[in-house]
């Protein structure tokens, strides 16, 4: 790598960010040299370039060609197409293949010192005008064969392609090709144990180090989602600071609704935020994979290890700003159980966003399909429509979409054994009738109750969700969320392995 940096004169800018047209960064010429350096770092035996100097001024083109000259001098073959080169650039090449319109060969051979071989070859034909002193050989040869803007009249009556086909130069080329092909045998074939230059563990290590640096250098992505998690937590958590202990049905309902809204906002914002970021990383992965630098397994592992700390940190920030203001029990087991479901919620939506981008052309398309998943999850999370009120036809959606498992885990983890008194249930209301019914699991509480019948936070939770949300489900909820995350990773693996949306 260091040798490549020196070869292409990139040492002075080796610590610069590549950037973009919007954020700034490297110049167009520097990006060209960097693209060449990325390929050279893979140690190829031959390097193909398509118009490496196009769009560059004279100074920038000279820098690029100086780098290519150094690459050629290091023993690698450099094959480049080029149009309208200057004298200095044209004379930097060793060998020229000149094609006329129609793809016919007009010249193939070594240029020689100051293009002397090319000039002597064409001037042997009487129809070729002599090159003037100081004239660019590239312009002169194109004019001579009738391909330039000022094509000579003689080129209309002389077939340079036909002349080359019967020339000694062409015969020497065929002899050289025959010598190369005659040497081909099974014994001298070059083979490698893998298409990649390094083993999987080394690829994974280096890709992780790079990806970790990318995440660290992406404050807009990481800072925004962490700040948003804190804002959402404080916005809804501080509402209950003055009354941390619920005492009525309305207050219980407000807390459950707040849990639902915050989980939905944090998850959906994480999904939307990751789309453009992962699309940029995915497109870079396509280029690196095409260069056989590493495969999708290394890329996926690096993403997971780089993403995990920020997910965990975002989760702890949210819990600190939301858990305690809401008045939840200061018990470690309950706190960390709540924290687990918060982290699972952030992770599943973040990884879902990556999955959609891996399988669709761009972030816009991924967001369209992802919005459907978010909407269905929100609708059938068990809050807008209680589980017992969902139509039988749509019951599959309640069990299939992930947000229900998150909300159930967050709610049940706090209220499954909460004996906080819920006073004054609405007389003859659904919850009051539930407590009065002798056939139900919970009865009226009379201790510390100012009315004839009181409930508890535990019994209200059980009634509110029709007995479907119970502490025994937490293990199954955890299993579902883990499996959902694994499935998203699997589908992302398939998308990265199967598709390349940069292919034209």
């Amino acid at each position: 790598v260091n040798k490549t940096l020196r070869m292409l004169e990139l040492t002075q800018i080796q610590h610069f960010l590549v950037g973009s047209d919007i954020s700034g960064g490297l110049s167009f010429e520097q990006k060209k040299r960097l693209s060449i350096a990325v390929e050279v770092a893979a140690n190829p035996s031959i390097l193909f370039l398509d118009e490496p100097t196009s769009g560059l001024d004279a100074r920038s083109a000279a820098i690029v060609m100086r780098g290519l000259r150094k690459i050629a001098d290091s023993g690698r073959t450099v094959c480049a197409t080029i149009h309208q080169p200057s004298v200095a650039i044209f004379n930097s090449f060793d060998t020229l293949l000149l094609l006329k319109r129609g793809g016919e060969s007009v010249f193939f051979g070594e240029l020689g010192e100051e293009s002397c071989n090319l000039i002597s070859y064409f001037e042997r034909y009487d129809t070729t005008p002599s090159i003037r002193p100081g004239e660019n050989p590239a312009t002169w040869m194109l004019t001579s064969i009738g391909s330039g803007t000022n094509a000579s009249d003689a080129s209309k009556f002389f077939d340079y392609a036909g002349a080359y086909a019967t020339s000694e130069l062409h015969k020497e080329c065929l002899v050289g090709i025959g010598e190369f092909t005659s040497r081909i045998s099974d014994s001298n074939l070059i083979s490698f144990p893998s298409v990649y230059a390094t083993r999987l563990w080394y690829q994974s290590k280096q890709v992780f180090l790079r990806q970790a640096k990318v995440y660290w250098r992406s404050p807009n992505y990481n800072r925004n989602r962490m700040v948003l998690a804190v804002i959402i937590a404080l916005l809804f958590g501080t509402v209950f600071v003055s009354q941390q202990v619920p005492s009525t049905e309305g207050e219980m309902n407000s807390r459950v609704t707040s849990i639902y809204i915050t989980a939905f906002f944090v998850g959906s914002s994480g999904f939307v935020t990751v789309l453009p970021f992962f699309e940029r990383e995915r497109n870079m992965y396509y280029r690196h994979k095409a260069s056989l630098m590493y495969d999708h397994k290394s890329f996926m592992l690096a993403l997971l290890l780089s993403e995990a700390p920020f997910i965990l940190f975002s989760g702890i920030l949210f819990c600190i700003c939301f858990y305690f203001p809401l008045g939840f029990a200061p018990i470690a087991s309950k706190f960390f159980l709540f924290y687990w479901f918060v982290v699972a919620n952030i992770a599943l939506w973040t990884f879902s966003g990556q999955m959609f981008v891996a399988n669709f052309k761009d972030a816009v398309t991924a967001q369209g399909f992802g919005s459907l998943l978010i909407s269905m999850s929100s609708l059938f999370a068990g809050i807008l429509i209680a589980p017992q009120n969902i139509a039988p036809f749509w019951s599959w959606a309640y069990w299939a979409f992930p947000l229900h498992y998150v909300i159930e885990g967050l709610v049940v983890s706090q209220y499954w054994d909460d004996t906080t008194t819920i006073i004054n249930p609405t007389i003859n209301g659904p919850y009051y009738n539930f407590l009065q019914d002798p056939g139900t699991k919970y009865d009226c509480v009379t201790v510390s109750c100012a009315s004839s019948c009181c409930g508890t936070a535990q019994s209200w939770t059980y009634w509110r969700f029709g007995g479907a949300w119970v502490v025994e489900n937490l293990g199954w909820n955890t299993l579902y969320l883990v499996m959902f995350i694994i499935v998203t990773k699997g589908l992302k693996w398939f998308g990265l392995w199967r598709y390349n949306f940069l292919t034209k």
Side-chain angles (χ1 to χ4, degrees):
V1 174
N2 292 330
K3 183 179 179 181
T4 303
L5 290 173
R6 292 192 298 270
M7 186 185 301
L8 290 165
E9 303 178 29
L10 294 170
T11 306
Q12 293 182 346
I13 60 173
Q14 61 180 320
H15 298 299
F16 286 22
L17 293 177
V18 176
S20 63
D21 295 336
I22 298 175
S23 63
L26 301 184
S27 66
F28 181 66
E29 171 266 324
Q30 290 170 335
K31 289 179 180 178
K32 281 219 172 193
R33 281 190 287 150
L34 177 60
S35 298
I36 296 172
V38 169
E39 303 302 328
V40 173
N43 198 26
S45 58
I46 184 169
L47 193 65
F48 292 93
L49 301 102
D50 185 20
E51 302 185 34
T53 60
S54 295
L56 302 178
D57 56 35
R59 176 184 173 278
S60 299
I63 294 175
V64 170
M65 290 306 303
R66 189 161 60 239
L68 294 179
R69 182 70 257 177
K70 292 178 181 178
I71 294 173
D73 292 339
S74 69
R76 297 179 179 89
T77 300
V78 178
C79 183
T81 61
I82 196 164
H83 297 283
Q84 297 180 331
S86 65
V87 176
I89 292 177
F90 186 72
N91 289 332
S92 298
F93 291 95
D94 298 316
T95 305
L96 172 69
L97 171 61
L98 177 61
L99 303 176
K100 65 175 293 186
R101 184 174 300 170
E104 296 180 280
S105 298
V106 175
F107 176 87
F108 178 69
E110 295 186 0
L111 284 173
E113 184 71 21
E114 300 294 330
S115 304
C116 61
N117 293 344
L118 172 71
I119 296 172
S120 62
Y121 171 79
F122 278 107
E123 286 187 338
R124 72 178 60 177
Y125 301 112
D126 296 335
T127 56
T128 303
S130 299
I131 187 171
R132 296 189 300 272
E135 186 176 3
N136 187 342
T139 304
W140 170 76
M141 71 178 183
L142 293 176
T143 302
S144 299
I145 67 173
S147 297
T149 55
N150 299 316
S152 63
D153 294 334
S155 64
K156 302 177 181 178
F157 306 102
F158 186 76
D159 183 9
Y160 282 93
Y164 172 73
T166 59
S167 67
E168 290 296 323
L169 196 62
H170 183 245
K171 293 178 181 178
E172 293 175 3
C173 176
L174 295 179
V175 171
I177 293 174
E179 291 179 354
F180 282 119
T181 55
S182 64
R183 300 172 190 169
I184 298 176
S185 65
D186 294 338
S187 60
N188 59 18
L189 287 177
I190 300 176
S191 61
F192 299 94
S194 171
V195 296
Y196 300 101
T198 59
R199 289 177 291 180
L200 179 61
W201 71 268
Y202 186 80
Q203 295 177 35
S204 301
K205 175 185 175 183
Q206 297 303 318
V207 176
F208 165 69
L209 293 176
R210 174 193 174 276
Q211 204 64 44
K213 186 173 291 186
V214 169
Y215 269 74
W216 182 253
R217 288 176 171 177
S218 304
N220 289 337
Y221 169 56
N222 295 306
R223 181 183 59 225
N224 288 353
R225 57 177 171 170
M226 287 189 287
V227 169
L228 192 59
V230 171
I231 292 175
I232 293 174
L234 291 176
L235 186 64
F236 287 89
T238 52
V239 173
F240 302 96
V241 169
S242 60
Q243 192 176 17
Q244 294 188 327
V245 179
S247 59
T248 65
E249 291 184 67
E251 292 172 4
M252 279 296 299
N253 196 60
S254 297
R255 280 163 170 75
V256 171
T257 304
S258 295
I259 292 174
Y260 160 73
I261 294 175
T262 53
F264 173 74
F265 281 175
V266 170
S268 59
S269 64
F271 178 90
V272 173
T273 305
V274 77
L275 297 179
F277 175 81
F278 183 72
E279 183 183 13
R280 291 193 299 270
E281 294 305 303
R282 182 204 66 178
N283 294 343
M284 184 59 67
Y285 154 76
Y286 288 152
R287 297 185 180 96
H288 291 172
K289 182 183 179 181
S291 300
L292 300 181
M293 297 176 66
Y294 54 85
D295 67 357
H296 56 283
K297 295 187 290 294
S298 301
F299 181 54
M300 283 192 58
L301 181 59
L303 280 174
L304 176 62
L305 296 178
S306 301
E307 187 77 53
F310 293 96
I311 292 177
L312 295 173
F313 191 61
S314 297
I316 199 67
L317 287 177
F318 175 86
C319 288
I320 291 173
C321 298
F322 184 78
Y323 186 92
F324 298 105
L326 221 66
F328 291 145
I331 301 174
S333 59
K334 286 196 168 189
F335 175 83
F336 285 107
L337 193 57
F338 188 88
Y339 173 64
W340 150 246
F341 283 104
V342 169
V343 168
N345 182 48
I346 298 174
L348 74 88
W349 290 112
T350 300
F351 295 145
S352 294
Q354 295 177 353
M355 174 197 70
F356 277 107
V357 175
N359 287 277
F360 292 101
K361 184 177 181 180
D362 50 40
V364 176
T365 307
Q367 185 171 357
F369 283 92
S371 298
L372 180 62
L373 174 63
I374 293 173
S375 301
M376 293 294 288
S377 294
S378 174
L379 181 60
F380 293 101
I383 301 297
L384 300 180
I385 308 175
Q388 65 273 23
N389 296 329
I390 295 177
F393 176 78
W394 288 103
S395 60
W396 63 269
Y398 171 76
W399 298 106
F401 293 106
L403 193 57
H404 136 232
Y405 298 91
V406 173
I407 305 301
E408 181 179 357
L410 294 173
V411 172
V412 174
S413 67
Q414 302 307 307
Y415 294 121
W416 70 274
D417 63 346
D418 190 344
T419 57
T420 300
T421 302
I422 304 300
I423 62 174
N424 298 327
T426 305
I427 303 299
N428 293 324
Y431 180 49
Y432 179 88
N433 293 335
F434 168 80
L435 295 174
Q436 294 287 349
D437 187 350
T440 59
K441 184 176 180 180
Y442 296 94
D443 300 323
C444 290
V445 175
T446 56
V447 180
S448 301
C449 178
S451 61
S452 60
C453 182
C454 294
T456 62
Q458 180 184 20
S459 65
W460 184 91
T461 304
Y462 184 89
W463 161 81
R464 172 65 173 79
F465 302 103
W469 289 15
V470 293
V471 68
E472 290 78 11
N473 290 348
L474 294 185
W476 294 108
N477 294 344
T478 296
L479 179 62
Y480 171 90
L481 294 173
V482 171
M483 292 303 299
F484 187 90
I485 292 173
I486 292 175
V487 169
T488 61
K489 301 296 284 185
L491 292 175
K492 183 174 73 172
W493 177 89
F494 175 80
L496 294 174
W497 167 73
R498 181 65 177 83
Y499 303 117
N500 183 348
F501 295 106
L502 292 184
T503 302
K504 296 181 180 179

